[in-house]
Amino acid sequence: MHSSNPFKNFKKDIPASIVVFFVALPLCLGIALASGAPPFAGLISGIIGGIVVGALSGSQLGVSGPAAGLAAIVATAITDLGSFEIFLVAVVVGGAIQVVFGLLKLGIIGYYFPSSVIKGMLTGIGIIIFLKQIPHFFGLDNDPEGDMDYFQVDGETTFSEILSIGEYISPGATLIGVIALAILLLWSNVLSGKSKIFEVIQGPLVAVAVGIIYYVFTSDLSYWNISNEHLVNVPIPENFDSFVGQFRFPDFSHIGNVDVLITAFTIALVASLETLLSVEATDKLDPLKRVSPTNKELIAQGTGNMVSGFIGGLPITQVIVRSSANIQSGGKTKMSTILHGFLLLGSVIIIPALMNKIPLSVLAAILLIVGYKLAKPSVFKEMWTAGWRQFTPFVVTVLLLQINFLLGVGVGLAIGIVITLFQSYQNSHFLHATESDETGEHKVIMILAEEVTFFNKATILKELDSLPRNTYLELDVTNTNYLDYDVIEILDDFREKARNREINILLISELGMEENPESFSEFFKLRSKK
């Protein structure tokens, strides 16, 4: 058995934390911009998501931080509530509601999402990541990192942004992006198997270092240089006082405001749903197939949101982009998550100027790899081979996720439920009919399923009504643990019709056999008592 001791796998967790840090840094800043919040607020939530939530969470590989799925809610709430400080009250209260959700053990909801929908979510997010990074790779940075919606903050759509790359292409950003991508592919496909040093020093770290060196040495070149709008933009405080001044605090005088409470509940509900989906998805990606305690996760997320809101951060959820980057980089325990939080904190306090020399196209190259690994073509083949019942909710989730996260998951889940009900409709019973004997009597054996609900009424009624005259029906309920009252009523009604159609019924159960029972409802009442 693998130990979850956070210090046992440092050799794996430290390199993974560095990769997650480079993925999280632009996303924290970009999601803050997409949310209409101060950039520092995104960094706060990333730090809290790594250190606080990482320490409290039971998920070994999940990484938390500001979520793109909440950006639209946050932007609307800040405008409607009138100030960022009032919005922070909603974040704190929303966190408290999440803690209550965890204490009420509502985390079990996460286990009810079909595997096809979870795989569709992972694949759909992979496609979104890949498509969204293409403009950044070529130096088109009008839309902030972290904007995952089809209709973007900059007024474009995912595809119109890609089509307009030719008008805004930056030669310098593109060149270093290609170099970074080549380094990443060389590292993962060739060098990582040559020596342990290439496993300890990760390709993304080398790519970022090369990107910084390129920026410094080409700064005086007019054509191949990289301008500031194509670089990471971490706020740089002039002194300690200006650093402290970046923190914002909630205005609790509005805690009784109905709009604040509605926003808080909305944040708690959406953040909890996104977290539970990400937990399920992360567990599926985990090579060790560990199962994360979902109720503990809700409590950890709620605590993180309360802390984040208290010091001026955005709402936090567990997010699949950072979690998958953690897994793909070889992370083994939650220490990689916690370390990435400390790296974010260090970058803000100690080396913000160095961080601002990282080209966004280099980080785009890292995310292109992450996106591709989540949405490999082999996944589509696997789901197609599994049959239409798996492929349909999978592909619907993938397609609609491109427009909106909750829309894709919601419709995919609805289709999964409909297919399940259809299967239940079909599998209510097993029917076996024999040829007529010399007396002209048909013998039909009907074995009811383990659970028969009102969804099965139509198919059972159809089978009973289709029985010809002079039939001998053996109705076997030996293995039936639950029989809905609606179905019992159908059987009682059929008993009357059977007499007129000369149909004899033999009821078989664990209590024995009964010929032409007088009342099915009375029989099942007696059976339930025993």
Side-chain angles (χ1 to χ4, degrees), residues 1-4 8:
M1 181 180 291
H2 256 277
S3 171
S4 59
K8 185 179 180 180

Side-chain angles (χ1 to χ4, degrees), residues 9 12-13 16 61 202 325-333:
N9 296 281
K12 296 285 187 181
D13 289 333
L61 297 175
Q202 292 279 305
N326 187 24
I327 295 167
Q328 292 168 17
S329 303
K332 295 298 180 184
T333 72

Side-chain angles (χ1 to χ4, degrees), residues 49-373:
I51 299 173
V52 177
V53 178
L56 297 176
S57 170
S59 175
Q60 293 300 315
L61 297 175
V63 183
S64 298
L70 284 169
I73 294 173
V74 172
T76 303
I78 293 173
T79 302
D80 292 347
L81 295 178
S83 76
F84 186 65
E85 286 75 13
I86 299 176
F87 168 73
L88 292 177
V89 178
V91 177
V92 174
V93 176
I97 294 173
Q98 281 187 286
V99 172
V100 174
F101 284 169
L103 295 174
L104 293 176
K105 302 190 182 304
L106 296 183
I108 194 173
I109 294 171
Y111 297 124
Y112 288 95
F113 287 92
S115 176
S116 57
V117 174
I118 298 298
K119 289 181 179 179
M121 183 188 78
L122 284 170
T123 305
I125 288 175
I127 293 172
I128 291 173
I129 294 170
F130 193 91
L131 294 176
K132 292 290 186 181
Q133 293 310 311
I134 293 174
H136 295 293
F137 185 82
F138 290 100
L140 175 54
D141 299 307
N142 294 338
D143 192 51
E145 281 280 11
D147 183 6
M148 295 292 180
D149 283 341
Y150 179 76
F151 297 101
Q152 299 179 167
V153 173
D154 66 345
E156 298 286 345
T157 66
T158 301
F159 292 107
S160 69
E161 188 96 347
I162 293 173
L163 293 174
S164 62
I165 287 173
E167 303 174 30
Y168 299 94
I169 191 168
S170 166
T174 303
L175 176 60
I176 192 56
V178 171
I179 293 171
L181 188 59
I183 291 172
L184 294 169
L185 294 174
L186 178 67
W187 220 267
S188 61
N189 297 331
V190 180
L191 298 180
S192 61
K194 299 291 185 182
S195 172
K196 286 188 177 180
I197 188 66
F198 297 116
E199 294 180 8
V200 175
I201 301 175
Q202 292 279 305
L205 178 59
V206 176
V208 169
V210 170
I212 293 174
I213 293 169
Y214 178 90
Y215 166 74
V216 172
F217 280 91
T218 61
S219 58
D220 294 331
L221 302 179
S222 59
Y223 187 76
W224 293 106
N225 70 346
I226 302 175
S227 54
N228 289 338
E229 65 263 28
H230 303 314
L231 301 172
V232 169
N233 185 20
V234 177
I236 302 179
E238 295 179 0
N239 49 48
F240 181 76
D241 290 338
S242 62
F243 173 75
V244 174
Q246 294 180 95
F247 289 90
R248 311 278 281 275
F249 302 99
D251 182 358
F252 284 110
S253 65
H254 293 268
I255 195 167
N257 187 327
V258 174
D259 291 334
V260 169
L261 298 178
I262 292 173
T263 301
F265 187 79
T266 303
I267 290 172
L269 193 63
V270 176
S272 298
L273 179 59
E274 288 202 24
T275 291
L276 293 174
L277 286 167
S278 292
V279 166
E280 184 77 8
T282 301
D283 286 350
K284 283 189 178 298
L285 293 174
D286 183 3
L288 303 180
K289 300 303 176 188
R290 289 165 288 192
V291 178
S292 303
T294 51
N295 295 316
K296 185 177 181 179
E297 187 65 32
L298 288 180
I299 294 172
Q301 295 290 336
T303 304
N305 273 320
M306 291 175 70
V307 175
S308 181
F310 270 122
I311 59 176
L314 297 176
I316 296 168
T317 74
Q318 188 178 125
V319 278
I320 196 61
V321 179
R322 276 155 270 189
S323 301
S324 60
N326 187 24
I327 295 167
Q328 292 168 17
S329 303
K332 295 298 180 184
T333 72
K334 63 165 68 179
M335 187 53 66
S336 60
T337 299
I338 298 171
L339 287 174
H340 115 275
F342 279 109
L343 287 172
L344 283 172
L345 179 61
S347 72
V348 172
I349 298 175
I350 304 171
I351 53 171
L354 181 62
M355 293 296 102
N356 288 345
K357 291 180 172 61
I358 301 175
L360 288 174
S361 59
V362 172
L363 301 180
I366 297 173
L367 285 166
L368 283 173
I369 301 292
V370 172
Y372 176 77
K373 287 184 176 180

Side-chain angles (χ1 to χ4, degrees), residues 428-430 446-450 452 460 475-477 480 483 491:
S428 60
H429 64 281
F430 169 77
M446 180 183 285
I447 303 174
L448 294 189
E450 189 173 346
V452 185
I460 291 176
L475 183 63
D476 191 339
V477 296
T480 306
L483 193 63
L491 295 175

Side-chain angles (χ1 to χ4, degrees), residues 55 123 142 165 177 193 207 240 257 289 394 401 419 427 442 463-464:
T123 305
N142 294 338
I165 287 173
F240 181 76
N257 187 327
K289 300 303 176 188
F394 165 79
L401 207 73
I419 290 174
N427 300 327
H442 288 265
E463 295 286 7
L464 293 175

